[in-house]
Amino acid sequence: MPEFKDQLGQVFTFEKAPSRIVSLVPSQTEMLYDLGLEEQLVGITKFCVHPFHLKSTKKIVGGTKKVHVEKIRLLQPDIIICNKEENTPEIVASLRGIAPVWVTEIVTLEDSLEMISQLGMLFNRRTEARKWIDKINHAKQDFDRFVKDVPIRKAAYFIWKNPWMAVGSDNFINEMLSTNRFANIYSDKGRYPEVHIQKIRIQGDPEIVFLSSEPYPFNEQDAFEVGRCTHHAKVVFVDGEMFSWYGTRLVKAFAYFRQLQERIS
């Protein structure tokens, strides 16, 4: 019986490829669809918005931090796909009595490519996985050539208000900031630090401040509030999916990053 290992090192054995999948991570739901597994997907979260039609054709089993365990149980899944950051240890533990729970851990681009490869093997979609990995690598190489002469600029990336929370280190968004040649002023403050924007000048004085479209709905007043605490920083609203969604979304993300660089240059 073939063995498979997830990114936490857990070993799984399956007699055949799982054919009933519950996905509790939006970016991974999109990736599974792109690997040709739409028919096998039986349950998704309310945040799984790509592709849009899945919300009307698949069972919604809750969010990423709070799931309806009984709804998942009734779907009789062969496997449940989670992520170490997106889903809590309590959720993972509560689901292990229903089906094997595969957990991904994504911090770097390499982690994302490994995940695509692993799930391609698990679901007998090796060819499709290889095509997407090649597309992402090509897009990344093209973008690297585009930004190689762009100067490194200090930046802050906010994801929440009340309290203000920024992106720190050891997460995928910080990896994408680095890829864009942005030096994160909060990279030494933990993963998602609470910060006082009134101290932003002494904490790094960024040239650019990003306000993400998710999970908090920032508005123009928020941009004004944080902007006046800086030393003439440019405040930019950005598509949070492009910075935080891993998997096949990366092909679109690198095209978006190119447009963003042109916008702020």
Side-chain angles (χ1 to χ4, degrees):
M1 194 178 297
E3 288 190 349
F4 303 90
K5 187 182 294 186
D6 71 8
Q7 288 177 304
L8 296 190
Q10 301 175 110
V11 177
F12 301 80
T13 57
F14 295 95
E15 291 185 9
K16 59 180 181 178
S19 60
R20 294 183 64 80
I21 308 166
V22 169
S23 173
L24 300 182
V25 185
S27 58
Q28 293 174 185
T29 297
E30 178 182 50
M31 183 206 63
L32 293 168
Y33 172 85
D34 286 337
L35 292 182
L37 293 164
E38 179 177 4
E39 293 301 313
Q40 288 83 349
L41 275 168
V42 294
I44 61 175
T45 77
K46 62 184 178 181
F47 301 118
C48 295
V49 296
H50 298 298
F52 182 77
H53 73 271
L54 290 184
K55 293 189 75 173
S56 61
T57 61
K58 306 299 177 182
K59 185 71 174 180
I60 306 299
V61 298
T64 56
K65 306 299 184 189
K66 186 177 180 180
V67 300
H68 298 284
V69 175
E70 193 55 30
K71 286 184 178 180
I72 295 175
R73 189 188 311 278
L74 291 172
L75 289 172
Q76 298 182 306
D78 298 322
I79 193 168
I80 302 166
I81 309 292
C82 292
N83 174 264
K84 184 179 178 181
E85 178 173 317
E86 292 287 324
N87 312 119
T88 66
E90 292 76 18
I91 285 176
V92 172
S94 70
L95 297 175
R96 286 205 169 106
I98 299 174
V101 182
W102 183 283
V103 183
T104 65
E105 183 176 15
I106 313 293
V107 176
T108 67
L109 177 65
E110 289 72 26
D111 294 336
S112 182
L113 298 179
E114 179 184 65
M115 173 194 67
I116 296 172
S117 177
Q118 288 177 338
L119 293 177
M121 289 187 286
L122 175 64
F123 294 115
N124 282 335
R125 292 294 189 277
R126 292 173 180 80
T127 300
E128 293 85 349
R130 185 69 256 170
K131 287 179 180 177
W132 278 105
I133 290 170
D134 288 345
K135 285 181 183 180
I136 293 167
N137 280 328
H138 177 76
K140 170 68 161 53
Q141 291 163 7
D142 186 58
F143 181 71
D144 285 345
R145 286 191 291 270
F146 176 75
V147 295
K148 67 180 178 68
D149 295 323
V150 172
I152 294 174
R153 289 167 286 186
K154 292 190 294 181
Y157 187 110
F158 287 99
I159 58 171
W160 200 259
K161 181 184 176 184
N162 299 323
W164 284 89
M165 294 180 68
V167 165
S169 60
D170 195 32
N171 57 63
F172 193 70
I173 297 175
N174 188 57
E175 170 93 346
M176 293 298 98
L177 289 171
S178 178
T179 297
N180 275 275
R181 298 179 65 79
F182 297 124
N184 182 0
I185 68 168
Y186 295 119
S187 62
D188 62 342
K189 303 295 184 184
R191 299 187 73 231
Y192 298 103
E194 291 185 16
V195 300
H196 298 285
I197 59 171
Q198 296 81 3
K199 298 180 180 179
I200 197 170
R201 291 193 193 183
I202 61 173
Q203 290 179 333
D205 197 19
E207 301 165 65
I208 301 170
V209 173
F210 295 116
L211 299 182
S212 178
S213 63
E214 60 173 35
Y216 186 88
F218 290 107
N219 57 37
E220 292 292 343
Q221 181 58 37
D222 300 323
F224 175 76
E225 183 180 349
V226 69
R228 68 182 181 180
C229 294
T230 70
H231 210 164
H232 308 297
K234 183 177 292 188
V235 182
V236 182
F237 292 94
V238 292
D239 186 339
E241 292 177 1
M242 297 301 181
F243 278 90
S244 64
W245 284 38
Y246 32 81
T248 52
R249 167 75 30 169
L250 281 163
V251 174
K252 296 177 181 177
F254 286 118
Y256 173 83
F257 294 155
R258 183 168 186 147
Q259 294 173 349
L260 177 64
Q261 290 286 344
E262 292 171 340
R263 205 169 108 209
I264 64 178
S265 61

